[in-house]
Amino acid sequence: MDFGLVLQTDPPASQVVSLMKRAERNGFRYGWTFDSAVLWQEPFVIYSQILANTQKLTIGPMVTNPGTRTWEVTASTFATLNDMYGNRTVCGIGRGDSAMRVAGRAPNTLARLGEAIDAIRGLAEGREAEVDGKPLRIPWIKDGKLPVWMAAYGPKALALAGQKADGFILQLADPYLTEWMVKSVREAAAAAGRDPDAITICVAAPAYVGDDLAHARDQCRWFGGMVGNHVADLVSRYGEHSSMVPDELTEYVKARQGYDYSHHGRAGNPSADFVPDEIVDRFCLLGPAEAHIEKLRVLRDLGVDQFAVYDMHDAKEATIDAYGCDVIPALTG
């Protein structure tokens, strides 16, 4: 199992770079950041510094979207980083939540997302691709490589990930839901004539190592609020108790009263007060290192290839070090 570190690009950028260097020293192989231009600093600028200050870390957004940048700009940016640092990027992409909504736009349609996946990957790898009905090719790209991993929850998005993406990003760490969603992605891949086992499976969720469970839950409760944004969209689309979406995912958002993006992804987010302890425990990894190892072994047995640690709480360095000392060796040794 691989491990990734997920950060927000809060200033100063030097702290983001420092934490990524620490992660690489501790055995993490991937470095991810949020991508929302209004809420945080521009990640692709910071990626250049992370890549320059690490040796093997693969870097990318968790996640970008097809709406805030034109597709040729996204492809050229990835290709430039790859040309400078040796194909060490990955494009995590989704419909767009905070990046789009904060700017007053709706998330992208799945149809547009599917087109963008093909176009961005094709352009970044030096091939001709269609952008807004026009064939384009970036002529200077040689030997480019850009895996595109798609974030998804709902049935149509899971199907698209199986049909198009090189990897699937699931932003929660509940084994029951992981099994259901991984199965959906792989069935869609097989139906599309693809090798379902060739799709990389990445589970991303907050991890907090320590014995004070009450404090850990409070530091990670924001994650249930963030996931709740996507779940609320699913409920509005498919209704409650739909056979298309498990009740285990949708039941807890009934008490949701709205969402303030100024606290998005942050410990203490008041918009997450509706999230019960049970959901925090199910979606996140909490407790002593042994509890993390036990849950990660279950996820690995379900086909998860990477666990990406959301490190947005008051123990960033300690979590990275605990994973490097105890958790990563147990899952990679």
Side-chain angles (χ1 to χ4, degrees), residues 145-162:
K145 186 66 177 175
L146 183 66
V148 180
W149 297 8
M150 180 183 155
Y153 292 108
K156 292 181 180 178
L158 294 169
L160 181 62

Side-chain angles (χ1 to χ4, degrees), residues 21-319:
K21 291 169 62 178
R22 191 184 197 110
E24 185 177 57
R25 291 196 302 270
N26 276 282
F28 289 78
R29 294 190 59 231
Y30 283 76
W32 303 91
T33 75
F34 282 29
D35 177 16
S36 186
V38 175
L39 296 177
W40 302 289
Q41 291 186 329
E42 171 54 41
F44 286 94
V45 176
I46 300 171
Y47 294 163
S48 189
Q49 284 297 303
I50 295 171
L51 289 164
N53 283 276
T54 56
Q55 283 70 55
K56 296 181 179 180
L57 208 64
T58 297
I59 299 297
M62 188 177 280
V63 292
T64 193
N65 71 86
T68 52
R69 297 176 178 85
T70 60
W71 303 349
E72 68 272 21
V73 170
T74 299
S76 181
T77 303
F78 276 112
T80 301
L81 292 171
N82 284 337
D83 188 61
M84 294 171 69
Y85 300 105
N87 286 340
R88 289 170 53 200
T89 67
V90 56
C91 177
I93 195 167
R95 293 178 60 228
D97 178 33
S98 62
M100 297 296 286
R101 297 185 203 267
V102 167
R105 307 184 190 108
N108 297 269
T109 65
L110 287 175
R112 185 162 178 80
L113 176 56
E115 293 171 2
I117 289 172
D118 289 338
I120 291 168
R121 179 172 49 212
L123 289 170
E125 294 184 344
R127 299 188 299 277
E128 183 179 283
E130 187 171 294
V131 178
D132 295 329
K134 178 181 175 61
L136 292 179
R137 182 177 173 274
I138 303 175
W140 56 264
I141 296 176
K142 310 295 181 186
D143 302 318
K145 186 66 177 175
L146 183 66
V148 180
W149 297 8
M150 180 183 155
Y153 292 108
K156 292 181 180 178
L158 294 169
L160 181 62
Q163 294 159 6
K164 297 275 188 181
D166 302 299
F168 164 50
I169 297 171
L170 174 58
Q171 291 162 308
L172 53 80
D174 176 71
Y176 174 82
L177 293 170
T178 297
E179 182 176 20
W180 182 82
M181 293 186 184
V182 169
K183 180 181 178 182
S184 297
V185 169
R186 287 187 166 152
E187 286 179 348
R194 305 178 70 203
D195 178 1
D197 293 327
I199 299 176
T200 302
I201 307 297
C202 174
V203 160
Y208 197 108
V209 181
D211 295 323
D212 188 343
L213 277 177
H215 180 72
R217 287 174 181 136
D218 286 343
Q219 286 292 303
C220 298
R221 198 174 306 276
W222 63 265
F223 184 67
M226 186 185 85
V227 174
N229 292 333
H230 304 284
V231 175
D233 284 346
L234 294 179
V235 171
S236 67
R237 188 174 299 118
Y238 297 103
E240 295 182 9
H241 309 297
S242 168
S243 61
M244 302 288 285
V245 184
D247 287 347
E248 288 83 354
L249 181 61
T250 60
E251 192 69 21
Y252 84 100
V253 300
K254 288 181 179 179
R256 183 177 181 269
Q257 298 295 319
Y259 194 80
D260 181 356
Y261 280 93
S262 65
H263 304 285
H264 188 60
R266 299 188 187 280
N269 184 345
S271 298
D273 58 1
F274 70 95
V275 181
D277 288 350
E278 177 193 2
I279 288 294
V280 182
D281 292 347
R282 289 181 64 172
F283 285 10
C284 304
L285 275 77
L286 311 174
E290 293 78 13
H292 293 241
I293 293 167
E294 181 181 358
K295 190 169 186 177
L296 286 168
R297 283 176 173 157
V298 172
L299 292 170
R300 183 181 62 183
D301 290 345
L302 293 174
V304 175
D305 300 298
Q306 178 184 152
F307 177 60
V309 175
Y310 276 110
D311 205 21
M312 283 73 99
H313 47 57
D314 64 1
K316 293 181 178 67
E317 292 86 354
T319 297

